[in-house]
Amino acid sequence: MSEPIKIDIWSDIACPWCYIGKRHLEGGIAALGDDAPAVEIEYHSFELAPDTPIDFEGSEVDFLAGHKHLPAEQVHQMLERVTGIAAAEGLDYDFDALRHTKTLQAHELLHFAKEHGRQLELSERLFRAYFSEGRHLGRVDELVSLAAEVGLDADAAREALESGRYGAAVQADIAQAGAYGINGVPFFVFEGKYGVSGAQPAEVFSQVLTQVAGERDEAAA
C-alpha cells in the first residue's frame, strides 16, 4: 500500500466557507468511489479576525458590517447567499444565533485533538457548534464540553487550554500560512506542492486527487 496523500488545510472555525469547503473536499473524495486514493488530512490554524474580543457585543451582521466596512443590508444579502450554499451541502447555518468570538483557543484545542488522534472529529464538531447551534466557542467550558463529545479527556483538554501550551503551535501554523502566501481560508495544500484556494466545487478536488495519484503512479513505475 502506498502512503496516503497528505492534505493540509488552513482554516478557521469562524469561516463559513471553510465548513462548506470541508464538505466539498469530502464530496470530491467520495465521487471517486473505489478509485479514491487514501488521504491523510491535517487542519492548520488561521485566525481571520485575531482582534475579535472573546465576548463580542452584537450580531454577526454587526461584526461584519464593522469589520468589512459594509452596509448592513449588503451583509444580510451576503449571509443569505452563504446560508443557501451551505444548505445545498446539508449544512444548517443559523447566523441569528451565532456567537461571534475570538477563535484562538478553539485552534489550540484542535492542536490538542490532533495530538490525541481526534482532530477531524473535533473540527466537524466545532463547525457545527459555531454555525448551527449558537455555541460560544470563546469559552473554555464550552470547548471542553465539545472535546468530551468527540472522545477527548475533558480534564486534559481543560488543562491544555488553561495552560496555553498549544499557543506556539497555533502561531507556527499562522506563520507557515504567511510563508505560503495564504491570506484567506480555506486553503488546501496537497502533498506540500499543490495549492487550492477557497471552497472549490467537489469536482476540483476530485481532479487534484486524481492528478496527484497519477503522478505518484508514474514516479513509482
Side-chain angles (χ1 to χ4, degrees):
M1 288 289 289
S2 60
E3 288 290 310
I5 291 172
K6 182 69 185 299
I7 307 174
D8 293 286
I9 306 173
W10 272 262
S11 171
D12 191 350
I13 58 102
C15 165
W17 293 106
C18 291
Y19 200 6
I20 293 167
K22 181 179 187 293
R23 281 292 182 273
H24 286 178
L25 173 63
E26 292 163 351
I29 295 169
L32 294 174
D34 292 340
D35 294 327
V39 299
E40 177 190 344
I41 297 171
E42 182 177 340
Y43 277 89
H44 298 275
S45 306
F46 191 98
E47 275 195 287
L48 281 172
D51 55 346
T52 305
I54 290 175
D55 292 302
F56 175 76
E57 296 295 335
S59 67
E60 181 71 351
V61 172
D62 296 331
F63 176 81
L64 290 173
H67 189 70
K68 294 183 178 293
H69 309 293
L70 294 172
E73 182 55 37
Q74 188 175 343
V75 174
H76 273 294
Q77 292 170 357
M78 288 167 47
L79 295 182
E80 284 180 10
R81 176 173 174 264
V82 75
T83 298
I85 293 169
E89 298 302 323
L91 304 175
D92 181 21
Y93 282 10
D94 186 350
F95 284 108
D96 290 335
L98 189 149
R99 305 290 298 275
H100 203 92
T101 188
K102 185 173 177 62
T103 57
L104 178 63
Q105 286 198 304
H107 285 299
E108 292 180 9
L109 189 64
L110 283 165
H111 278 277
F112 168 78
K114 178 173 71 176
E115 201 169 85
H116 292 84
R118 287 283 189 277
Q119 193 193 44
L120 299 186
E121 295 88 345
L122 182 66
S123 173
E124 176 70 25
R125 188 66 191 92
L126 292 179
F127 276 131
R128 180 157 54 89
Y130 189 78
F131 284 108
S132 302
E133 299 173 0
R135 304 281 287 270
H136 192 324
L137 300 193
R139 294 181 177 164
V140 169
D141 285 350
E142 286 275 46
L143 291 170
V144 168
S145 173
L146 293 166
E149 283 188 33
V150 300
L152 292 163
D153 181 88
D155 291 337
R158 184 178 298 278
E159 187 278 328
L161 292 174
E162 291 179 347
S163 69
R165 60 190 165 93
Y166 290 96
V170 172
Q171 296 310 315
D173 275 355
I174 293 170
Q176 181 64 66
Y180 277 150
I182 299 169
N183 51 27
V185 288
F187 197 94
F188 304 79
V189 178
F190 292 77
E191 293 285 89
K193 58 181 180 179
Y194 295 112
V196 175
S197 178
Q200 299 292 331
E203 50 268 28
V204 171
F205 292 112
S206 296
Q207 290 165 6
V208 175
L209 284 167
T210 300
Q211 179 180 337
V212 172
E215 289 175 1
R216 277 188 165 194
D217 289 344
E218 287 177 13

